[in-house]
Amino acid sequence: MKTAIVWFKTDLRLEDNETLVKAIAQSDQIIALYCFDDSHFEITPYGFQKTGSFRAQFLLESLLDLDSNLRNIGSGLLILRGKPEVEIPKIVQQFRVQKVFAKREVAYEEKQTELLVQTALFKLRCEFETFSTSTLYHAEDLPFSIKDIPDVFTNFRKKTEKDATIRNIFGKPSAINSPNIPPVDLPTLEDLCLAPVSVDSRAAIQFKGGESEGLHRLNYYFFQSKSISNYKETRNGLIGADYSSKFSAWLALGCISPRYIYHELKNFESEFGANDSTYWLVFELLWRDFFRFMFKKHQSKMFQPSGITKEKEIPKSVSEKLLHSWINGTLDEDFINANMVELQLTGFMSNRGRQNVASYFCNDLKLDWRYGAAYFEQQLIDYDECSNWGNWAYIAGVGNDPRENRYFDIDKQAGLYDRNSAYRNLWLT
């Protein structure tokens, strides 16, 4: 009997999961597992938690939902804690597993872990196969090789839209044959050495993890409220649930795939019509692809002080006083403060807010951009390594921005996007 492991990571879904579909097709029985990697709950060199409470809570909810969905079709989720390269081989030996299937990684640390697991499995004569499941466009379908992908987004977008196609989704499996999987045993936030999460009634949206919640949000945003029809006009909003899709948290953990969103969007357009707003959501998904492909191309450079540039000078130190004032929202700029308080209390901030606080951090406070990126890594419920570090490098002028010295005039931004101070009053009073 061919037994395989499906190692879930940031692909916590059944819909459009090529890894799972291919594993079922090639195996007699499947063991679905998730490993709480010790390294994901350490303190980073910048002094922040690698995974903060908001994202960890969302992860726990997502895993609970995944286990429930797996059990509905005959399986369940096995939870491990420790180093994947140590814990997964133990399961391989216990169940005489011939092959491990997993999502393919692109960021440096994740690639290193992937290599350690592969090496450990090789010693056990166990195969290891990965699949690219995180992007709208598959890397193999791009009109250029990874090393030749343009470093400017507009050039990437135009040629990709013109010459590449988006693949169909993989259907949700109807049944999985698995050995007996014990009831899911998740750690608590306290077990992970994290503080409990409190709900702030002012939060733009009350995020709840899991594929079921992600699909519910998509259905609401597209077909119930039809908010997608006005997305381009409202996306720079600051208050409320529907100024933007809020898909990012579910995308970050792979509770929903960008391709699934795209095909549902096409269904919406066929029924209600396409416009600039429906296109703009695809445009934003393309940005997400772009940063992921940039990490594949430039690898560890994306985490270096000078990013992918050669000569850009950035601060080599950080003022603890300024850093803490920025984090706690106690600077002289109330628009920056309001955004940082929202992030601190809810784990979320609007796209407009993120650009402003990052610009202020890099250009006004003149601090090392990597500390800002590392704080976002800890704090954001929708943290995605490629989008986060790629966007911070972009704002800092060491990434993919073709313009030099991009700068946000904070007073002008506040006047444009918070003209009546409603947002500032919400978070600062």
Side-chain angles (χ1 to χ4, degrees):
M1 179 176 282
K2 288 185 180 178
T3 301
I5 284 173
V6 175
W7 175 20
F8 282 92
K9 293 183 280 182
T10 50
D11 53 348
L12 307 181
R13 64 180 184 270
L14 302 189
E15 289 279 6
D16 192 33
N17 192 329
E18 182 180 5
T19 308
L20 182 60
V21 170
K22 293 291 175 64
I24 292 170
Q26 296 180 34
S27 314
D28 297 313
Q29 62 175 6
I30 298 292
I31 300 164
L33 64 78
Y34 181 89
C35 183
F36 280 85
D37 189 334
D38 287 343
S39 68
H40 292 175
F41 297 91
E42 295 175 348
I43 302 298
T44 69
Y46 304 98
F48 301 112
Q49 293 165 327
K50 192 168 182 65
T51 304
S53 296
F54 290 111
R55 182 153 49 94
Q57 178 65 35
F58 191 87
L59 170 62
L60 292 171
E61 293 164 354
S62 299
L63 292 171
L64 200 61
D65 184 66
L66 178 61
D67 175 70
S68 175
N69 292 338
L70 284 167
R71 289 188 189 276
N72 286 339
I73 56 173
S75 187
L77 190 62
L78 184 65
I79 300 295
L80 310 177
R81 278 192 71 181
K83 295 180 178 180
E85 65 271 22
V86 173
E87 301 305 321
I88 293 175
K90 291 178 184 177
I91 305 301
V92 167
Q93 290 176 298
Q94 181 183 345
F95 289 93
R96 297 181 180 178
V97 171
Q98 288 101 341
K99 192 167 183 178
V100 173
F101 295 78
K103 169 195 166 183
R104 187 172 304 146
E105 301 291 355
V106 297
Y108 181 74
E109 290 178 359
E110 288 76 6
K111 287 294 291 182
Q112 296 301 109
T113 300
E114 191 174 87
L115 184 60
L116 288 171
V117 171
Q118 185 173 15
T119 301
L121 295 178
F122 179 78
K123 293 175 182 176
L124 299 175
R125 296 184 179 179
C126 178
E127 290 183 65
F128 183 61
E129 187 171 3
T130 61
F131 298 86
S132 180
T133 65
S134 295
T135 50
L136 183 62
Y137 286 91
H138 199 288
E140 293 173 2
D141 300 333
L142 295 176
F144 16 60
S145 65
I146 293 297
K147 69 181 179 61
D148 294 323
I149 292 178
D151 285 334
V152 175
F153 172 71
T154 301
N155 299 339
F156 163 80
R157 175 184 63 80
K158 287 181 176 178
K159 189 159 180 58
T160 299
E161 286 179 334
K162 178 175 177 288
D163 295 333
T165 56
I166 295 166
R167 295 184 181 186
N168 289 326
I169 62 171
F170 287 85
K172 173 185 171 182
S174 57
I176 301 179
N177 183 38
S178 292
N180 182 48
I181 306 292
V184 69
D185 182 21
L186 290 173
T188 63
L189 289 179
E190 186 179 6
D191 293 335
L192 298 171
C193 300
L194 294 171
V197 169
S198 57
V199 175
D200 195 298
S201 61
R202 296 168 293 179
I205 185 172
Q206 299 297 340
F207 286 103
K208 185 176 181 183
E211 179 179 19
S212 302
E213 291 290 333
L215 296 175
H216 177 76
R217 174 63 186 177
L218 183 148
N219 187 61
Y220 167 79
Y221 193 74
F222 284 3
F223 299 103
Q224 292 180 25
S225 69
K226 300 182 179 61
S227 298
I228 182 61
S229 295
N230 304 306
Y231 172 69
K232 191 177 181 185
E233 291 74 40
T234 63
R235 66 191 176 90
N236 283 311
L238 301 170
I239 300 174
D242 296 346
Y243 66 78
S244 64
S245 74
K246 307 293 191 300
F247 295 159
S248 56
W250 291 284
L251 277 166
L253 277 184
C255 299
I256 194 167
S257 80
R259 275 197 316 223
Y260 186 88
I261 292 172
Y262 174 82
H263 286 291
E264 285 297 292
L265 184 65
K266 291 298 150 185
N267 291 337
F268 176 89
E269 288 178 337
S270 67
E271 188 173 352
F272 301 106
N275 63 13
D276 286 349
S277 287
T278 56
Y279 165 73
W280 209 259
L281 188 71
V282 181
F283 178 89
E284 297 293 356
L285 289 173
L286 257 174
W287 263 110
R288 188 174 172 277
D289 272 16
F290 176 67
F291 281 130
R292 190 166 182 84
F293 293 135
M294 285 298 100
F295 270 67
K296 196 162 182 164
K297 176 180 178 180
H298 294 291
Q299 300 175 37
S300 60
K301 284 183 182 178
M302 300 298 289
F303 299 98
Q304 301 305 314
S306 56
I308 64 172
T309 64
K310 293 180 180 177
E311 301 173 356
K312 176 85 174 184
E313 286 292 324
I314 69 154
K316 296 296 191 294
S317 61
V318 68
S319 160
E320 289 290 329
K321 182 180 178 182
L322 286 178
L323 178 63
H324 288 133
S325 294
W326 178 78
I327 287 171
N328 295 315
T330 56
L331 297 162
D332 293 334
E333 287 286 352
D334 59 357
F335 188 58
I336 300 300
N337 292 341
N339 278 284
M340 294 306 296
V341 170
E342 181 186 14
L343 177 60
Q344 188 175 66
L345 297 181
T346 71
F348 185 77
M349 187 196 298
S350 69
N351 178 60
R352 179 54 48 183
R354 295 181 201 203
Q355 293 182 71
N356 275 278
V357 302
S359 173
Y360 194 81
F361 187 94
C362 298
N363 298 313
D364 293 88
L365 301 181
K366 299 190 183 304
L367 301 176
D368 182 341
W369 67 274
R370 296 172 301 164
Y371 283 82
Y375 177 65
F376 271 30
E377 179 175 14
Q378 169 188 285
Q379 205 66 16
L380 282 173
I381 200 167
D382 62 359
Y383 170 78
D384 172 280
E385 68 269 23
C386 302
S387 294
N388 182 67
W389 290 84
N391 271 305
W392 269 94
Y394 190 98
I395 293 289
V398 298
N400 299 95
D401 191 353
R403 283 172 47 182
E404 288 188 17
N405 302 318
R406 185 177 294 268
Y407 177 77
F408 286 76
D409 182 321
I410 303 304
D411 289 337
K412 183 179 178 182
Q413 290 280 306
L416 282 171
Y417 300 107
D418 191 33
R419 190 174 293 112
N420 60 4
S421 296
Y423 177 74
R424 282 167 283 182
N425 291 336
L426 179 67
W427 290 105
L428 298 179
T429 55

